Amino acid sequence: RMGLLLDGVQSPFNVGAMVRTAAAFGVTDLYLVGRTASARDPKAQKMAMGTDRYLTVTSFPEAGPAAERARDAGYFVVGIELTDDARPLHELDLSRDVCLAVGAEDHGLSVACQKSCDALAYIPQVGKVGSLNVAAAAAIACYEVRRQDWASATSLADGSQRGSTNA
């Protein structure tokens, strides 16, 4: 399972894009925090094309209770933010129930949300631009969760295990 927590994402266009991406990657739970635009906003709906019907959407005034609800639902909460203690996203073991937390367009995840996460990760970038649009970052992060899930399923299906070699 996968969840997505939006912390202060104010643009309904970004929210709608993330709702559509979430539905495409099989996200089941969407947590909207603080000033995050509603998934029912007409502009969000235009971007999402009605895909919010595939998600359970819950709103919270603050990040702490939202992360706690996700954790209570069995999710490992991973904040996507470039901080001193964040690890590259692809290095985390995401082959479990994961809730990805992404933050506001202008300042990223709130400090409260960062403190509420089980882990912090960043998306490595090699180009001349050091940041991504929040909807693009969420899409990449959702893909990485699924990629690891698919890789794990392939390993199990062919009889191999992580870290082992077949000779």
Side-chain angles (χ1 to χ4, degrees):
R1 290 182 317 128
M2 187 175 9
L4 186 60
L5 187 154
L6 310 184
D7 179 30
V9 179
Q10 296 181 37
S11 166
F13 295 111
N14 282 334
V15 170
M18 288 186 279
V19 165
R20 189 167 176 185
T21 295
F25 283 109
V27 167
T28 54
D29 297 296
L30 180 66
Y31 304 93
L32 305 179
V33 176
R35 297 182 56 155
T36 298
S38 170
R40 300 300 305 159
D41 180 286
K43 292 174 184 170
Q45 285 290 297
K46 184 172 185 166
M47 293 297 291
M49 296 184 66
T51 56
D52 60 310
R53 70 182 179 268
Y54 301 115
L55 308 172
T56 300
V57 181
T58 312
S59 296
F60 295 85
E62 297 176 357
E68 192 60 36
R69 172 80 63 86
R71 200 172 291 102
D72 288 347
Y75 290 112
F76 182 73
V77 182
V78 178
I80 306 301
E81 184 69 37
L82 183 57
T83 64
D84 290 340
D85 56 342
R87 293 179 46 205
L89 182 61
H90 65 275
E91 290 182 4
L92 291 180
D93 178 7
L94 303 172
S95 59
R96 56 178 131 183
D97 292 347
V98 172
C99 179
L100 299 165
V102 295
E105 295 88 342
D106 57 346
H107 59 270
L109 284 178
S110 65
V111 173
C113 191
Q114 290 178 41
K115 289 180 179 178
S116 298
C117 292
D118 298 310
L120 294 173
Y122 66 92
I123 299 168
Q125 297 164 56
V126 296
K128 296 182 189 287
V129 177
S131 66
L132 292 166
N133 168 277
V134 65
I140 292 167
C142 285
Y143 178 81
E144 178 59 19
V145 171
R146 285 295 170 232
R147 186 195 66 77
Q148 287 190 24
D149 186 45
W150 296 325
S152 176
T154 300
S155 294
L156 294 174
D158 71 12
S160 63
Q161 296 178 350
R162 287 184 186 209
S164 67
T165 57
N166 294 331

